[in-house]
Amino acid sequence: MRIRVFPAALVGPVMLVLGLLGAGCGGSRFGTDLSQRPQPYALAAPTATTLHLPQERPFNITLGRSNRAPGLNGSVEADAATNGQGTADARVSIQQGGQGEALIQLGHALRNDTDRQTDVDFLIRVQFELEAATVPAENRPGASVGLRLYARDQRGRLRHEAVLVDYTTESGGVQRIGQETVRLTLTLAPGDALDVFLAGRVVGEVEGPRSAAARLQIRSLQYEITTQPAPAVRTAPS
């Protein structure tokens, strides 16, 4: 039997809207490192400004990669694609045993080009769709979907992390549409750079004759970035 992402018979007829998916097993961190760092967008205005992405400027972090290892009698398809207009797609399909993984990273790199410490407020909205299933349909490992938000500075320090999706077929097959809104404020010293991005991953791993498939689509990613000079630090009187 062959499966692709995804026959309705595997996941049932439901299509639900949800916020946070917490049905996974709390998998390990993934996708924190960028294989390529773009030239950061310069925050150069000395006064408060607001930037809307991708309406005013495309996202500059648009990375995707995949790998596959079919079993002896199996086949594996794995693909990852992103673009600067705020959409992405990661998918894995395994027939009759094998392993596959697809990773997407989508967001923006920026740098404080002013001579003052700057507060950067992010309002991030993401709409996504995910699917995961195995054949035969069983509540056991086989396919997983994860989505996280990271903020990482040029020194490699993780300034923020949010788990948006963590799902495996240990909880059964799934087909969902979801959306998340994240607000955060980070302070950048003069010359500091920051990468703020989504990392999404789908993984399939089954032994023959089992099959599995997983998919994560970012339907829309939008940033509203507001910058303003940080309040001056008062020094204690001598």
Side-chain angles (χ1 to χ4, degrees):
M1 178 184 298
R2 295 180 63 82
I3 64 171
R4 296 182 66 85
V5 181
F6 275 96
L10 294 181
V11 297
V14 295
M15 178 69 76
L16 301 178
V17 177
L18 73 160
L20 177 67
L21 273 179
C25 57
S28 60
R29 183 180 291 160
F30 62 85
T32 59
D33 294 324
L34 300 178
S35 59
Q36 301 176 36
R37 287 201 73 241
Q39 181 69 25
Y41 172 73
L43 303 173
T47 57
T49 61
T50 299
L51 175 67
H52 297 90
L53 306 176
Q55 295 91 334
E56 299 175 31
R57 178 176 294 273
F59 290 102
N60 58 21
I61 297 174
T62 54
L63 300 173
R65 63 179 184 268
S66 62
N67 59 74
R68 58 190 66 82
L72 182 62
N73 298 308
S75 63
V76 178
E77 298 177 8
D79 297 289
T82 60
N83 70 68
Q85 294 306 308
T87 64
D89 194 352
R91 66 179 82 190
V92 168
S93 181
I94 301 170
Q95 315 294 340
Q96 303 293 316
Q99 302 175 12
E101 177 184 14
L103 176 71
I104 52 177
Q105 294 165 308
L106 181 63
H108 213 60
L110 45 86
R111 182 181 62 246
N112 179 10
D113 268 11
T114 74
D115 58 1
R116 289 193 57 180
Q117 189 164 270
T118 299
D119 290 336
V120 186
D121 300 323
F122 293 87
L123 175 59
I124 298 171
R125 297 184 177 94
V126 56
Q127 298 176 358
F128 57 86
E129 182 174 354
L130 66 91
E131 303 172 87
T134 60
V135 173
E138 300 171 312
N139 289 20
R140 57 185 290 198
S144 64
V145 181
L147 180 64
R148 300 195 179 203
L149 174 70
Y150 297 120
R152 189 171 185 179
D153 65 23
Q154 78 270 30
R155 300 176 185 86
R157 297 178 302 180
L158 202 59
R159 302 277 298 272
H160 182 84
E161 177 180 9
V163 179
L164 306 183
V165 171
D166 184 12
Y167 196 90
T168 83
T169 50
E170 290 179 86
S171 301
V174 66
Q175 183 177 1
R176 298 285 190 269
I177 291 175
Q179 58 186 7
E180 288 288 340
T181 299
V182 179
R183 297 175 182 267
L184 67 145
T185 299
L186 297 169
T187 301
L188 297 182
D192 275 0
L194 189 68
D195 302 326
V196 180
F197 61 97
L198 291 178
R201 182 178 68 167
V202 296
V203 178
E205 182 175 0
V206 289
E207 296 182 357
R210 294 179 72 212
S211 298
R215 186 175 187 179
L216 173 66
Q217 298 178 78
I218 304 300
R219 291 181 160 192
S220 172
L221 176 63
Q222 298 183 22
Y223 283 14
E224 180 180 301
I225 304 173
T226 302
T227 64
Q228 56 187 343
V233 179
R234 294 184 178 181
T235 57
S238 56

